[in-house]
Amino acid sequence: DDMWLPTKLEEQLKVFKEAEGSVAIVYSDYEKITEGGERSGRVVKAPAKATYVSMLKGNVIGNLTGIYDTAKVGKVFFQRIHHEDYVMWLSILKKDFIARNTETVTALYRVRSESLTSKKFSLLTWQWNIYVNVEKTGYLRAIYYYAIYACKGFLKSLI
């Protein structure tokens, strides 16, 4: 349902080539489109850089935009868990790698009324599980990151 724009991979590979050695993931901004495929101009802008700690505050890598360097990190597979893409990005970044944004729009994200991201309440329970059971942050840190995640998620839904 989502779409890559024609220069997506070219732009991302350029960032890998120009970046320092610790860059293992490259992602981009993306634009939301309607169910019918109409572009809306509603661009989700991600930060220029992401680290393990910054990603604990919420996933800034739109799964439709992210790629990782298998030469640096090997093959990394999704776990059987909700938010599997987020867990995968965290597992890579936890090894002292960083992620960089192309700072361009390279993909189009189709917003559907029945999509997972439209069911924010379910996502909150999945996020808590990641903090406590996957990343084992401890309850106090989980509460801290969870509060930031919930606020950022609310603000993102307004875009």
Side-chain angles (χ1 to χ4, degrees), residues 112-145:
R112 296 189 179 275
S113 56
E114 75 277 353
S115 70
L116 283 178
T117 52
S118 68
K119 298 174 183 159
K120 294 292 182 195
F121 187 73
S122 297
L123 298 177
L124 291 173
T125 59
W126 301 346
Q127 190 72 16
W128 181 258
N129 180 57
I130 291 167
Y131 290 141
V132 174
N133 299 314
V134 178
E135 295 305 312
K136 302 191 185 318
T137 62
Y139 288 112
L140 289 178
R141 284 183 63 210
I143 291 167
Y144 169 76
Y145 289 124

Side-chain angles (χ1 to χ4, degrees), residues 59 81-88 123-124 126-127 130 149:
N59 188 4
I81 187 171
H82 294 294
H83 273 334
E84 63 277 354
D85 58 317
Y86 179 52
V87 171
M88 182 184 74
L123 298 177
L124 291 173
W126 301 346
Q127 190 72 16
I130 291 167
Y149 166 81

